[in-house]
Amino acid sequence: MARVRVARATSAMLVAALSFGARPASAVVVADKIDTYTINGSYTNSIDPSITGTLTVDLTTHSVTGANINTGSFLSGGFGTFTVIADQGAFGRRGQDYIVDLTNGAGITFGLVLDTRSSLFSGETAAIDPSSDFVFDTFFAPIPCFTCGDFKGSISLETLGSGAGVAGAVPEPSTWAMMILGFLGVGFLAYRRKSRLRLA
């Protein structure tokens, strides 16, 4: 009687595995559109330092995912390289622009304001807004750069860096079912082998 039950259970598992395995294997793939922008600009002071570098933008999630912006060395009137994204979001009275707060690890934050948010996240050329500014973190309160003047320039799409980043594939339910049945089968065989050893 026990052998009949085991045979039925084994044949039922085999039929289920074959029915799941008959479906074509596929996976759901989620792709984000990632673009890299080249930044060329400057700000007005006695030297007019340049602002150059790249900004990586995810056009699917509408967020900036990477930055490498050089504003020149301290000796040349700049504030170093900004690579850490501290904060970002909509900016302006109607939220039409986009601000990315970048830090350089030396207590300086670069509030890069881009015109406009819609052009940035649609893969078009955007402008550096004049209201961009450097802020110095002090013990008492953050102090804006009063001598930096107006910012100008643009960010344009870099053709080599653009493309789609593909996220990992998500297994279908049939794949999960096959894997679980496989583990159950291995567990059942181990159980059977153990009970045979006890009888012998």
Side-chain angles (χ1 to χ4, degrees):
M1 187 70 170
R3 287 186 179 181
V4 173
R5 280 190 224 155
V6 171
R8 284 182 185 166
T10 306
S11 62
M13 280 196 285
L14 188 60
V15 169
L18 290 175
S19 66
F20 281 120
R23 296 182 183 168
S26 64
V28 179
V29 177
V30 180
D32 287 351
K33 176 83 170 121
I34 307 290
D35 278 337
T36 302
Y37 285 89
T38 302
I39 295 182
N40 288 306
S42 64
Y43 55 97
T44 309
N45 67 8
S46 58
I47 309 172
D48 290 351
S50 64
I51 300 170
T52 58
T54 58
L55 206 62
T56 306
V57 177
D58 188 334
L59 301 180
T60 307
T61 61
H62 290 196
S63 62
V64 176
T65 58
N68 186 7
I69 298 176
N70 188 3
T71 61
S73 67
F74 292 104
L75 296 175
S76 65
F79 297 105
T81 302
F82 294 82
T83 56
V84 178
I85 301 171
D87 197 11
Q88 59 182 301
F91 185 77
R93 229 179 3 221
R94 297 182 313 270
Q96 72 277 11
D97 297 333
Y98 200 77
I99 186 168
V100 182
D101 288 333
L102 305 165
T103 60
N104 67 352
I108 302 172
T109 301
F110 179 26
L112 177 63
V113 180
L114 303 168
D115 285 335
T116 61
R117 187 174 63 170
S118 60
S119 60
L120 174 68
F121 294 122
S122 62
E124 301 172 12
T125 299
I128 298 174
D129 193 89
S131 62
S132 299
D133 202 2
F134 294 101
V135 176
F136 305 100
D137 298 328
T138 65
F139 181 72
F140 298 106
I143 300 173
C145 179
F146 295 110
T147 60
C148 291
D150 288 338
F151 287 75
K152 59 186 176 184
S154 65
I155 69 166
S156 56
L157 201 57
E158 188 177 66
T159 54
L160 295 176
S162 62
V166 179
V170 180
E172 286 191 356
S174 62
T175 306
W176 283 108
M178 289 288 289
M179 192 168 58
I180 290 169
L181 282 174
F183 284 129
L184 286 174
V186 169
F188 178 72
L189 289 175
Y191 170 77
R192 293 268 305 183
R193 175 178 264 171
K194 193 175 183 182
S195 63
R196 279 188 189 165
L197 290 175
R198 282 185 191 162
L199 293 174

